[in-house]
Amino acid sequence: MDGPGQPPDRVAPELREALREMDRPINDPDRVRGQSTRLEPPATDRLAEIRCPVLAIAGALDFSEVAAAARRIAAEAPRARAEVWPDVAHMIGMEQPDRLAAAIVDFLAPLERWA
């Protein structure tokens, strides 16, 4: 939750505990698991086919591949935008819920409403 190389107290203890509770079912040995389906061509090679607006937000304190993926989506998908926030890691919605909500509202505001 803190991000690679970050101090273990970067995030409030209550957020860390909420994440543990949220992840507990994922690690349950009796959890029913689906089967992966390999796409041909891979989804990463089909970003130009995305038809809806995309807001890809990544935290700079997360693994660098996450920010790179957000930037690639913005570069290759039409109507896509990437934001990399310098002060968050992977759990953006838990770390900065109000800021994330505001970013989503700002992104959606100029879009035509669905009937």
Side-chain angles (χ1 to χ4, degrees), residues 41-61:
T44 57
D45 293 342
R46 299 173 57 207
L47 295 173
E49 297 175 29
I50 295 175
R51 298 291 176 244
C52 62
V54 176
L55 174 62
I57 300 177
L61 300 180

Side-chain angles (χ1 to χ4, degrees), residues 13-106:
E14 56 272 11
L15 288 180
R16 188 178 315 289
E17 185 55 34
L19 180 61
R20 274 193 202 97
E21 285 301 311
M22 186 173 72
D23 281 354
R24 196 174 315 280
I26 294 171
N27 298 310
D28 185 338
D30 296 324
R31 178 174 78 97
V32 176
R33 300 181 190 303
Q35 188 172 9
S36 295
T37 302
R38 186 170 289 259
L39 299 175
E40 282 301 326
T44 57
D45 293 342
R46 299 173 57 207
L47 295 173
E49 297 175 29
I50 295 175
R51 298 291 176 244
C52 62
V54 176
L55 174 62
I57 300 177
L61 300 180
D62 199 350
F63 292 98
S64 62
E65 296 86 4
V66 177
R71 289 185 186 106
R72 180 174 177 190
I73 291 168
E76 296 183 25
R79 298 171 52 191
R81 185 173 86 211
E83 294 183 15
V84 179
W85 294 355
D87 55 344
V88 296
H90 189 72
M91 303 304 291
I92 296 167
M94 293 178 78
E95 289 188 55
Q96 298 281 330
D98 295 338
R99 183 175 169 196
L100 178 60
I104 293 169
V105 168
D106 287 347

